Amino acid sequence: MVVSIEKTIVIKDACILIDLVDLDLLEAFYQLEVTAVTTGFVIAEILDEEQAVAVRKVVSDGKLTVYDDGDIAEITALTDQHPGLSFADCSVLELAFRVPGIILSADGSLRNEAKRRQLTVKGSLWVLNQLVEQNFMTKAECLVKLDLYPRVNSRAPKRDIQLLINKLNVGS
Amino acid sequence: MDALDQNIFGNRLRLARKMAGLSLQELADAVENRVSKQALNKYELGAMKPTSEVLMLVSKCLNQKPDYFFRKQQIDLGAVLFRKKSTLSKKDEEAVVEKSRDYVERCTELENILGVFHVFKNPLAGILIKEKKEVEKAAAQLRKDWNLGESPIPNLTEMLELKGIKVLLLTEVEEIDGLSAMTDSGVPLVMVNVNDRPTERIRFTIIHELAHLLLKFAEEIADDVVEKLCHYFASCFLIPSRKLIEMLGAAKRSYITIKELITIKEYFGISLRAILHRLLELELIIPVYYQKWNVYLSKTFGGKKEPGEYKTEERSTFFDRLINRALAEGMISMSKAAALSGLSVNELRKGLGSVN
């Protein structure tokens, strides 16, 4: 089933941005009909030069909007409530409440907290699935990316990757 | 009351600036005057509250994650004891103290998240050192209480960390060898400079600082004597006398070859000069012979260099273990791990590097 994400606002964390860069999917991602936003604190976490260049390009192309107006008092209140989350993580939560929108995150802790707060959360595998379902990527191309994913991210969700591989293979 | 109302940001900004060794003007210059010196001063005093933009700017310039500026648990290092050169500037001293304090704070924050609470108990608390011979006894007592036997201790840093002592190995300021402190919450800290120093010297400094932490000296003992007694403790702790005599094969020696000394050095991880001094203290060699060795070493190898090398590196594993455990148990996010460790999200994500 194709999930309609037209005009949906997605708020990205650093982990998903890095995943998309490393999987060479950052440009492909913007074929999806979404309005992508993030915070300046998230952008500041991308320190690898190659990744930073790729992210700066989608920002300058107007594909990714960076919000630098987070409410610091609200963000610090969130970090106080969740000592396991960083200031940048909480800036994503704060923006998700304010905009509001779907959180796109590849980090388990942030995803769990967002879900606990009734926010909708999606990850890298959801992006891949959407790209296939909306015919921006073939199943074969997706399988190549799924094979690559655990090699570029040691904390990639291996079980979920296998489930998606199985689903794609069954459907082919 | 939130972090802004309590002026946590202002206090932390001042500490981060000190850690970076910058004056208000230098920080204003570093942010290209996008925040003026006067405005920075107002932030530090709590007269102004930062916007997200200002926070990002100072975070970047001071090489700190935004999290640093809102960390609520502020630890007081108490009396800090240094082993330093007189040329150490006030600015560098403050930077080193702040880095040490920051390390304890980060450790404590991680321990709180993990629910790991370690109450440090000084095994030598009941001993008052009045004379030198009590130092050797204290060193032996410590090895016994910590179940260390008499064998060499390969990684002193890791051993101390397992005993609840925070050990920070720094590389930045040349003029300081080490420091020790006991925080207001009872957390012991040893900081040692590892920059361009042989492992034996680093090991000696670690135990010298440990002596400052654990030993209580009688009030009449002067500071310079305390320093010498801490040196003596380090020698005694690193080479138990019985082991040394056993390795030399006799209670007294008229001649010793350099090969024998190097073997002892490479086994125990203590310098040739410290071994010779220990031999003198134990009266295994006579003062004239000790002097001859010192002259020989200085003439042959220079004032500080000497042959032989202890192969095991001093390495801290404590913080690394805590971060990995917190990540593995899903108790912190990758971004939080980066904020605590000083590594980037990408480095952690790829499992690269060691955390300190």
Short mmCIF file of all heavy atoms in Angstrom, two decimals, chain B residues 11-59:
data_model
loop_
_atom_site.label_atom_id
_atom_site.label_comp_id
_atom_site.label_asym_id
_atom_site.label_seq_id
_atom_site.Cartn_x
_atom_site.Cartn_y
_atom_site.Cartn_z
N ASN B 11 26.91 30.55 33.27
CA ASN B 11 28.02 29.92 34.00
C ASN B 11 28.80 28.96 33.12
O ASN B 11 30.03 28.93 33.13
CB ASN B 11 27.49 29.17 35.23
CG ASN B 11 26.97 30.12 36.28
OD1 ASN B 11 27.45 31.25 36.41
ND2 ASN B 11 25.97 29.68 37.03
N ARG B 12 28.06 28.19 32.34
CA ARG B 12 28.72 27.19 31.48
C ARG B 12 29.47 27.88 30.34
O ARG B 12 30.52 27.40 29.92
CB ARG B 12 27.70 26.20 30.90
CG ARG B 12 26.79 25.54 31.89
CD ARG B 12 27.37 24.46 32.69
NE ARG B 12 28.06 23.44 31.95
CZ ARG B 12 28.68 22.41 32.54
NH1 ARG B 12 28.69 22.31 33.85
NH2 ARG B 12 29.29 21.51 31.84
N LEU B 13 28.93 28.97 29.86
CA LEU B 13 29.62 29.72 28.80
C LEU B 13 30.99 30.18 29.31
O LEU B 13 32.01 30.06 28.63
CB LEU B 13 28.77 30.92 28.36
CG LEU B 13 29.40 31.86 27.32
CD1 LEU B 13 29.74 31.13 26.03
CD2 LEU B 13 28.46 33.04 27.02
N ARG B 14 30.99 30.69 30.55
CA ARG B 14 32.25 31.16 31.14
C ARG B 14 33.23 30.00 31.30
O ARG B 14 34.42 30.11 30.99
CB ARG B 14 31.96 31.81 32.50
CG ARG B 14 33.17 32.42 33.20
CD ARG B 14 32.77 33.09 34.50
NE ARG B 14 31.93 32.25 35.34
CZ ARG B 14 32.38 31.26 36.11
NH1 ARG B 14 33.66 31.00 36.17
NH2 ARG B 14 31.54 30.54 36.83
N LEU B 15 32.73 28.84 31.74
CA LEU B 15 33.60 27.67 31.93
C LEU B 15 34.15 27.17 30.58
O LEU B 15 35.32 26.82 30.48
CB LEU B 15 32.84 26.55 32.64
CG LEU B 15 32.44 26.82 34.09
CD1 LEU B 15 31.53 25.73 34.62
CD2 LEU B 15 33.67 26.94 34.98
N ALA B 16 33.28 27.14 29.57
CA ALA B 16 33.72 26.67 28.25
C ALA B 16 34.77 27.62 27.68
O ALA B 16 35.72 27.20 27.03
CB ALA B 16 32.53 26.58 27.30
N ARG B 17 34.58 28.90 27.94
CA ARG B 17 35.53 29.90 27.46
C ARG B 17 36.88 29.68 28.14
O ARG B 17 37.94 29.75 27.52
CB ARG B 17 34.97 31.30 27.75
CG ARG B 17 35.80 32.43 27.25
CD ARG B 17 35.06 33.74 27.36
NE ARG B 17 34.66 34.10 28.71
CZ ARG B 17 35.48 34.56 29.66
NH1 ARG B 17 36.77 34.68 29.39
NH2 ARG B 17 35.03 34.88 30.86
N LYS B 18 36.84 29.40 29.45
CA LYS B 18 38.09 29.14 30.19
C LYS B 18 38.76 27.87 29.68
O LYS B 18 39.98 27.79 29.57
CB LYS B 18 37.79 29.02 31.69
CG LYS B 18 37.47 30.37 32.30
CD LYS B 18 37.56 30.35 33.79
CE LYS B 18 37.46 31.77 34.31
NZ LYS B 18 37.71 31.87 35.72
N MET B 19 37.91 26.86 29.40
CA MET B 19 38.46 25.60 28.91
C MET B 19 39.19 25.83 27.59
O MET B 19 40.20 25.19 27.30
CB MET B 19 37.33 24.59 28.72
CG MET B 19 37.83 23.19 28.76
SD MET B 19 36.61 21.86 28.56
CE MET B 19 35.06 22.45 29.00
N ALA B 20 38.65 26.72 26.78
CA ALA B 20 39.28 27.03 25.50
C ALA B 20 40.43 28.03 25.66
O ALA B 20 41.15 28.31 24.71
CB ALA B 20 38.24 27.60 24.54
N GLY B 21 40.59 28.55 26.89
CA GLY B 21 41.67 29.51 27.15
C GLY B 21 41.45 30.84 26.46
O GLY B 21 42.42 31.48 26.03
N LEU B 22 40.20 31.27 26.34
CA LEU B 22 39.90 32.53 25.64
C LEU B 22 39.38 33.59 26.60
O LEU B 22 38.62 33.29 27.53
CB LEU B 22 38.82 32.30 24.56
CG LEU B 22 39.14 31.37 23.40
CD1 LEU B 22 37.93 31.21 22.50
CD2 LEU B 22 40.32 31.89 22.59
N SER B 23 39.75 34.85 26.33
CA SER B 23 39.16 35.97 27.05
C SER B 23 37.83 36.31 26.36
O SER B 23 37.54 35.79 25.27
CB SER B 23 40.09 37.17 27.01
OG SER B 23 40.20 37.61 25.67
N LEU B 24 37.05 37.18 26.99
CA LEU B 24 35.78 37.59 26.36
C LEU B 24 36.03 38.20 24.99
O LEU B 24 35.32 37.91 24.03
CB LEU B 24 35.07 38.62 27.26
CG LEU B 24 34.24 38.06 28.42
CD1 LEU B 24 33.82 39.20 29.35
CD2 LEU B 24 33.01 37.32 27.92
N GLN B 25 37.07 39.04 24.91
CA GLN B 25 37.39 39.69 23.64
C GLN B 25 37.81 38.66 22.59
O GLN B 25 37.39 38.74 21.43
CB GLN B 25 38.51 40.74 23.84
CG GLN B 25 38.80 41.56 22.59
CD GLN B 25 37.57 42.31 22.07
OE1 GLN B 25 36.98 43.11 22.80
NE2 GLN B 25 37.15 42.03 20.84
N GLU B 26 38.63 37.68 23.03
CA GLU B 26 39.08 36.65 22.07
C GLU B 26 37.90 35.83 21.56
O GLU B 26 37.87 35.43 20.39
CB GLU B 26 40.13 35.75 22.73
CG GLU B 26 41.49 36.44 22.86
CD GLU B 26 42.45 35.72 23.79
OE1 GLU B 26 41.98 35.00 24.72
OE2 GLU B 26 43.66 35.88 23.63
N LEU B 27 36.92 35.58 22.44
CA LEU B 27 35.74 34.83 22.00
C LEU B 27 34.92 35.68 21.02
O LEU B 27 34.43 35.17 20.00
CB LEU B 27 34.88 34.39 23.20
CG LEU B 27 33.60 33.63 22.85
CD1 LEU B 27 33.87 32.39 21.99
CD2 LEU B 27 32.85 33.20 24.12
N ALA B 28 34.79 36.96 21.34
CA ALA B 28 34.06 37.87 20.43
C ALA B 28 34.74 37.89 19.06
O ALA B 28 34.07 37.85 18.02
CB ALA B 28 33.99 39.27 21.02
N ASP B 29 36.07 37.91 19.07
CA ASP B 29 36.83 37.88 17.81
C ASP B 29 36.59 36.56 17.08
O ASP B 29 36.44 36.53 15.86
CB ASP B 29 38.33 38.05 18.06
CG ASP B 29 38.67 39.46 18.59
OD1 ASP B 29 37.82 40.36 18.44
OD2 ASP B 29 39.76 39.63 19.17
N ALA B 30 36.56 35.47 17.86
CA ALA B 30 36.40 34.14 17.26
C ALA B 30 35.03 34.01 16.59
O ALA B 30 34.90 33.31 15.58
CB ALA B 30 36.58 33.05 18.32
N VAL B 31 34.02 34.66 17.14
CA VAL B 31 32.69 34.60 16.49
C VAL B 31 32.51 35.78 15.52
O VAL B 31 31.40 36.11 15.12
CB VAL B 31 31.51 34.56 17.52
CG1 VAL B 31 31.56 33.31 18.37
CG2 VAL B 31 31.48 35.80 18.41
N GLU B 32 33.64 36.36 15.15
CA GLU B 32 33.70 37.47 14.19
C GLU B 32 32.77 38.62 14.57
O GLU B 32 32.09 39.20 13.74
CB GLU B 32 33.40 36.96 12.78
CG GLU B 32 34.49 36.03 12.28
CD GLU B 32 34.07 35.23 11.06
OE1 GLU B 32 32.86 35.07 10.83
OE2 GLU B 32 34.98 34.76 10.35
N ASN B 33 32.72 38.86 15.89
CA ASN B 33 31.91 39.95 16.46
C ASN B 33 30.43 39.89 16.10
O ASN B 33 29.73 40.90 16.18
CB ASN B 33 32.51 41.31 16.10
CG ASN B 33 33.78 41.55 16.92
OD1 ASN B 33 33.75 41.50 18.15
ND2 ASN B 33 34.89 41.76 16.23
N ARG B 34 29.98 38.68 15.71
CA ARG B 34 28.52 38.53 15.50
C ARG B 34 27.83 38.56 16.86
O ARG B 34 26.63 38.80 16.96
CB ARG B 34 28.23 37.23 14.75
CG ARG B 34 28.60 37.38 13.26
CD ARG B 34 28.91 36.07 12.62
NE ARG B 34 27.72 35.30 12.35
CZ ARG B 34 27.76 34.05 11.91
NH1 ARG B 34 28.92 33.47 11.70
NH2 ARG B 34 26.65 33.39 11.68
N VAL B 35 28.61 38.28 17.90
CA VAL B 35 28.16 38.54 19.28
C VAL B 35 29.29 39.37 19.90
O VAL B 35 30.45 38.96 19.88
CB VAL B 35 27.97 37.24 20.08
CG1 VAL B 35 27.36 37.54 21.44
CG2 VAL B 35 27.12 36.24 19.33
N SER B 36 28.96 40.56 20.38
CA SER B 36 30.01 41.45 20.89
C SER B 36 30.53 40.98 22.25
O SER B 36 29.89 40.17 22.93
CB SER B 36 29.45 42.87 21.03
OG SER B 36 28.50 42.88 22.07
N LYS B 37 31.68 41.53 22.63
CA LYS B 37 32.26 41.23 23.94
C LYS B 37 31.26 41.60 25.04
O LYS B 37 31.05 40.84 25.99
CB LYS B 37 33.56 42.03 24.10
CG LYS B 37 34.22 41.87 25.44
CD LYS B 37 35.36 42.86 25.58
CE LYS B 37 35.84 42.93 27.02
NZ LYS B 37 36.85 43.94 27.23
N GLN B 38 30.61 42.74 24.88
CA GLN B 38 29.65 43.21 25.89
C GLN B 38 28.47 42.24 25.99
O GLN B 38 28.01 41.92 27.10
CB GLN B 38 29.14 44.62 25.54
CG GLN B 38 30.15 45.74 25.69
CD GLN B 38 31.20 45.75 24.56
OE1 GLN B 38 31.01 45.14 23.51
NE2 GLN B 38 32.31 46.43 24.81
N ALA B 39 28.00 41.78 24.83
CA ALA B 39 26.86 40.85 24.83
C ALA B 39 27.27 39.53 25.48
O ALA B 39 26.52 38.97 26.29
CB ALA B 39 26.37 40.62 23.41
N LEU B 40 28.48 39.07 25.16
CA LEU B 40 28.96 37.81 25.76
C LEU B 40 29.01 37.95 27.27
O LEU B 40 28.64 37.02 28.01
CB LEU B 40 30.35 37.45 25.21
CG LEU B 40 30.40 36.95 23.76
CD1 LEU B 40 31.83 36.89 23.26
CD2 LEU B 40 29.74 35.58 23.64
N ASN B 41 29.48 39.10 27.72
CA ASN B 41 29.55 39.35 29.16
C ASN B 41 28.16 39.29 29.78
O ASN B 41 27.95 38.73 30.85
CB ASN B 41 30.21 40.71 29.41
CG ASN B 41 30.56 40.89 30.87
OD1 ASN B 41 30.97 39.94 31.52
ND2 ASN B 41 30.37 42.09 31.40
N LYS B 42 27.20 39.88 29.07
CA LYS B 42 25.82 39.86 29.57
C LYS B 42 25.27 38.43 29.63
O LYS B 42 24.56 38.07 30.58
CB LYS B 42 24.92 40.74 28.70
CG LYS B 42 25.09 42.23 28.99
CD LYS B 42 24.13 43.04 28.17
CE LYS B 42 24.34 44.53 28.44
NZ LYS B 42 23.57 45.38 27.55
N TYR B 43 25.61 37.63 28.62
CA TYR B 43 25.17 36.23 28.66
C TYR B 43 25.77 35.53 29.87
O TYR B 43 25.10 34.78 30.57
CB TYR B 43 25.59 35.49 27.38
CG TYR B 43 24.78 35.87 26.16
CD1 TYR B 43 25.40 36.31 25.00
CD2 TYR B 43 23.39 35.77 26.17
CE1 TYR B 43 24.67 36.66 23.88
CE2 TYR B 43 22.64 36.12 25.05
CZ TYR B 43 23.28 36.56 23.91
OH TYR B 43 22.55 36.91 22.81
N GLU B 44 27.06 35.78 30.10
CA GLU B 44 27.73 35.10 31.22
C GLU B 44 27.12 35.51 32.56
O GLU B 44 27.01 34.71 33.47
CB GLU B 44 29.23 35.40 31.20
CG GLU B 44 29.95 34.68 30.07
CD GLU B 44 31.46 34.63 30.20
OE1 GLU B 44 32.01 35.18 31.17
OE2 GLU B 44 32.07 34.05 29.33
N LEU B 45 26.73 36.77 32.64
CA LEU B 45 26.16 37.27 33.90
C LEU B 45 24.68 36.91 34.04
O LEU B 45 24.09 37.11 35.11
CB LEU B 45 26.33 38.79 33.99
CG LEU B 45 27.77 39.29 34.07
CD1 LEU B 45 27.81 40.81 33.93
CD2 LEU B 45 28.40 38.86 35.39
N GLY B 46 24.10 36.40 32.97
CA GLY B 46 22.68 36.04 33.02
C GLY B 46 21.77 37.20 32.76
O GLY B 46 20.55 37.10 32.95
N ALA B 47 22.34 38.32 32.29
CA ALA B 47 21.51 39.50 32.00
C ALA B 47 20.81 39.36 30.65
O ALA B 47 19.87 40.11 30.37
CB ALA B 47 22.38 40.76 32.01
N MET B 48 21.28 38.45 29.82
CA MET B 48 20.62 38.20 28.53
C MET B 48 20.50 36.69 28.33
O MET B 48 21.33 35.93 28.81
CB MET B 48 21.48 38.77 27.39
CG MET B 48 21.05 40.15 26.94
SD MET B 48 22.28 40.97 25.90
CE MET B 48 22.44 39.90 24.52
N LYS B 49 19.43 36.28 27.64
CA LYS B 49 19.24 34.87 27.37
C LYS B 49 19.58 34.58 25.91
O LYS B 49 19.24 35.39 25.03
CB LYS B 49 17.80 34.47 27.67
CG LYS B 49 17.51 34.52 29.17
CD LYS B 49 16.09 34.16 29.48
CE LYS B 49 15.89 34.27 30.98
NZ LYS B 49 14.53 33.94 31.37
N PRO B 50 20.23 33.46 25.64
CA PRO B 50 20.68 33.22 24.26
C PRO B 50 19.55 32.79 23.33
O PRO B 50 18.61 32.13 23.77
CB PRO B 50 21.68 32.07 24.44
CG PRO B 50 21.15 31.32 25.62
CD PRO B 50 20.54 32.34 26.53
N THR B 51 19.69 33.14 22.07
CA THR B 51 18.80 32.58 21.05
C THR B 51 19.47 31.31 20.53
O THR B 51 20.64 31.04 20.82
CB THR B 51 18.66 33.57 19.87
OG1 THR B 51 19.98 33.77 19.32
CG2 THR B 51 18.08 34.89 20.32
N SER B 52 18.74 30.56 19.74
CA SER B 52 19.31 29.33 19.14
C SER B 52 20.54 29.68 18.31
O SER B 52 21.54 28.95 18.32
CB SER B 52 18.28 28.65 18.24
OG SER B 52 17.31 28.01 19.00
N GLU B 53 20.46 30.79 17.60
CA GLU B 53 21.57 31.19 16.73
C GLU B 53 22.84 31.47 17.53
O GLU B 53 23.93 31.04 17.16
CB GLU B 53 21.18 32.45 15.96
CG GLU B 53 20.95 32.15 14.50
CD GLU B 53 20.55 33.38 13.72
OE1 GLU B 53 19.69 34.13 14.22
OE2 GLU B 53 21.11 33.56 12.62
N VAL B 54 22.68 32.20 18.65
CA VAL B 54 23.84 32.51 19.50
C VAL B 54 24.41 31.22 20.09
O VAL B 54 25.63 31.01 20.11
CB VAL B 54 23.43 33.50 20.63
CG1 VAL B 54 24.53 33.59 21.68
CG2 VAL B 54 23.13 34.87 20.04
N LEU B 55 23.51 30.35 20.51
CA LEU B 55 23.96 29.07 21.09
C LEU B 55 24.77 28.27 20.07
O LEU B 55 25.84 27.74 20.39
CB LEU B 55 22.74 28.27 21.56
CG LEU B 55 23.01 26.88 22.13
CD1 LEU B 55 23.97 26.91 23.30
CD2 LEU B 55 21.71 26.20 22.54
N MET B 56 24.30 28.24 18.85
CA MET B 56 25.02 27.49 17.81
C MET B 56 26.39 28.11 17.53
O MET B 56 27.37 27.41 17.35
CB MET B 56 24.19 27.43 16.53
CG MET B 56 23.14 26.33 16.59
SD MET B 56 22.30 26.11 15.03
CE MET B 56 20.94 27.22 15.22
N LEU B 57 26.41 29.41 17.54
CA LEU B 57 27.65 30.15 17.25
C LEU B 57 28.72 29.88 18.33
O LEU B 57 29.86 29.53 18.01
CB LEU B 57 27.30 31.64 17.21
CG LEU B 57 28.15 32.56 16.36
CD1 LEU B 57 28.26 32.06 14.94
CD2 LEU B 57 27.54 33.97 16.36
N VAL B 58 28.33 30.02 19.58
CA VAL B 58 29.34 29.82 20.64
C VAL B 58 29.70 28.34 20.77
O VAL B 58 30.85 28.01 21.07
CB VAL B 58 28.89 30.41 22.01
CG1 VAL B 58 28.82 31.92 21.95
CG2 VAL B 58 27.61 29.81 22.52
N SER B 59 28.74 27.45 20.51
CA SER B 59 29.04 26.00 20.56
C SER B 59 30.15 25.69 19.56
O SER B 59 31.10 24.98 19.88
CB SER B 59 27.81 25.17 20.19
OG SER B 59 26.80 25.35 21.10
#
